[in-house]
């Protein structure tokens, strides 16, 4: 009997892309899978589309729930899953016919705990491949290439071992508005040792804009994201004994997250509240690693180091 893979798709108002997404999964050359469609309170006809497909294929499981966000939707799918392995696909993305087969073959052949495939980012018909030109189990010399590549920041184009996820209670964090994908993958990396790479890219990540990454959330949400990333990135650097050049991406991820916290504070209209929040932040990690690329960045870093928050606020906002 072939090993079963649980494919989890969180769905919210995806009726325009859902048929194509489900169709390419049902066309897979590897057929021993269960497809878990989590309808996260869609207000269009996504739920009906899921139910129609479920009537045609016994491998399809549909879960209808109230809208609580993509993290809880994925976690719901994980709880319902029965497969030995888990993979995630987004409802507006596509995969090639041999996507599952290529992943499962190398995963089982090498007895891996995580297998990472390349993927293609498709934006308005323009394809940009994301992959690492390496095939096989990652060694200590190669781990830096993975961790310095944004291929680790997404849960798709990967196969995870279900028992590792469930035994260690690894979940997509709720209560933050960004970064939950990266946090899940980083948490998983802390519990494994054998990572396999497949340079082929059979996953097509469809995107039309980057606004979700640039839109700021509440200060508490951005701060929660930074705190989680800071803990995980530092623990991974220690786990793999990474030198500075091998942890550039992890460090940059933390610095970017911290700067998002600052920007979220600076859009608050009340100046005293802004300055009070700036005064409460811990700048030690940021100041230790931040390098000013321009004279302006260097001056602002010095101002933060001296904790001259009123001056910093005056220079950075128009609300003074």
């Amino acid at each position: 009997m072939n090993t079963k893979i649980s494919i989890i798709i969180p769905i919210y108002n995806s009726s325009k892309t859902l048929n194509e997404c489900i169709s390419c999964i049902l066309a897979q050359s590897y057929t021993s899978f269960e497809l878990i469609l989590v309808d996260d309170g869609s207000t269009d006809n996504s739920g009906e589309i899921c139910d129609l497909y479920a009537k045609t294929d016994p491998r399809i499981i549909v879960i209808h729930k109230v809208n609580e966000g993509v993290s809880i939707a994925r976690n719901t799918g994980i709880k319902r899953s029965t497969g030995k392995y888990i993979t995630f696909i987004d409802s507006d993305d596509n995969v090639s016919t041999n996507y599952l087969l290529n992943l499962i073959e190398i995963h089982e052949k090498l007895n891996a705990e995580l297998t990472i495939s390349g993927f293609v980012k498709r934006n308005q018909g323009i394809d940009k491949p994301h992959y690492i030109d390496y095939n096989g189990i990652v060694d200590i010399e190669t781990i830096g290439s993975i961790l310095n590549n944004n291929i680790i920041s997404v849960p798709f184009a990967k196969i995870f071992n279900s028992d590792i996820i469930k035994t260690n209670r690894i979940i997509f964090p709720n209560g933050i508005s960004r970064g939950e994908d990266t946090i899940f993958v980083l948490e998983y990396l802390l519990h494994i040792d054998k990572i396999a790479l497949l340079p082929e890219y059979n996953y097509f990540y469809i995107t039309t804009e980057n606004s979700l990454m640039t839109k700021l959330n509440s200060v508490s949400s951005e701060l929660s994201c930074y705190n989680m990333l800071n803990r995980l990135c530092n623990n991974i650097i220690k786990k793999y004994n990474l030198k500075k050049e091998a942890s550039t991406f992890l460090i940059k991820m933390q610095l970017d997250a911290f700067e998002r916290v600052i920007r979220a504070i600076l859009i608050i209209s009340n100046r005293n509240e802004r300055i009070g929040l700036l005064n409460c932040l811990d700048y030690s990690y940021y100041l230790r690693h931040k390098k000013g690329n321009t004279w302006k960045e260097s001056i602002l870093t010095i101002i933060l180091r001296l904790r001259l928050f009123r001056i910093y606020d005056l220079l950075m906002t128009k609300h003074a």
Side-chain angles (χ1 to χ4, degrees), residues 96-255:
S96 65
T97 304
N98 291 325
Y99 174 69
L100 290 178
L101 180 64
N102 290 342
L103 275 174
I104 196 67
E105 280 186 342
I106 188 172
H107 192 79
E108 296 198 320
K109 177 182 178 181
L110 300 177
N111 195 28
E113 295 167 304
L114 171 68
T115 296
I116 303 173
S117 169
F119 66 91
V120 172
K121 185 176 182 179
R122 179 169 290 170
N123 190 332
Q124 298 180 346
I126 299 174
D127 288 352
K128 182 180 179 182
H130 291 258
Y131 69 100
I132 300 171
D133 191 13
Y134 183 89
N135 196 324
I137 289 291
V138 174
D139 54 27
I140 195 65
E141 287 78 21
T142 314
I143 188 69
S145 298
I146 297 177
L147 299 177
N148 273 334
N149 190 307
N150 65 4
I151 204 167
I152 69 162
S153 63
V154 292
F156 56 75
K158 297 173 177 65
I159 279 189
F160 302 86
N161 286 9
S162 179
D163 62 332
I164 293 175
I165 291 175
K166 294 179 178 180
T167 299
N168 295 287
R169 299 181 181 179
I170 302 171
I171 62 170
F172 290 86
N174 187 33
I176 64 172
S177 303
R178 60 175 294 276
E180 68 278 357
D181 290 358
T182 305
I183 288 167
F184 178 88
V185 177
L186 293 178
E187 186 72 54
Y188 188 86
L189 283 173
L190 284 176
H191 297 281
I192 64 172
D193 296 303
K194 295 190 72 175
I195 305 169
L197 286 183
L198 179 66
E200 298 177 29
Y201 36 88
N202 295 314
Y203 189 105
F204 297 89
Y205 170 53
I206 315 298
T207 178
T208 55
E209 58 176 334
N210 296 315
S211 60
L212 288 178
M213 292 305 295
T214 56
K215 179 182 177 182
L216 292 171
N217 302 296
S218 67
V219 174
S220 61
S221 177
E222 296 290 354
L223 187 58
S224 293
C225 179
Y226 166 72
N227 287 334
M228 291 181 193
L229 284 174
N230 184 256
R231 174 184 65 83
L232 291 169
C233 288
N234 288 336
N235 285 341
I236 286 175
I237 290 171
K238 291 177 183 177
K239 173 182 173 69
Y240 295 104
N241 195 26
L242 297 177
K243 296 180 180 179
K244 187 174 182 180
E245 59 270 17
S247 54
T248 302
F249 184 78
L250 296 176
I251 293 172
K252 183 180 184 301
M253 203 181 327
Q254 294 174 78
L255 297 182

Side-chain angles (χ1 to χ4, degrees), residues 41-91:
S42 296
T43 56
D44 64 1
N45 65 330
S46 294
E48 289 84 348
I49 293 173
C50 293
D51 290 338
L52 286 173
Y53 274 102
K55 291 178 181 178
T56 67
D57 196 312
R59 296 173 299 179
I60 299 177
I61 300 163
V62 180
I63 300 173
H64 298 287
K65 59 182 293 300
V66 297
N67 178 250
E68 295 177 288
V70 66
S71 288
I72 293 182
R74 287 196 181 115
N75 292 337
T76 300
I78 291 172
K79 289 180 182 178
R80 177 63 179 81
S81 66
T82 62
K84 183 176 181 180
Y85 307 121
I86 290 176
T87 191
F88 300 96
I89 296 177
D90 287 346
S91 60

Side-chain angles (χ1 to χ4, degrees), residues 5 13 28 49 107 127 199 252 280 300:
I5 304 173
N13 291 353
Q28 290 295 297
I49 293 173
H107 192 79
D127 288 352
K252 183 180 184 301
C280 291
L300 290 171

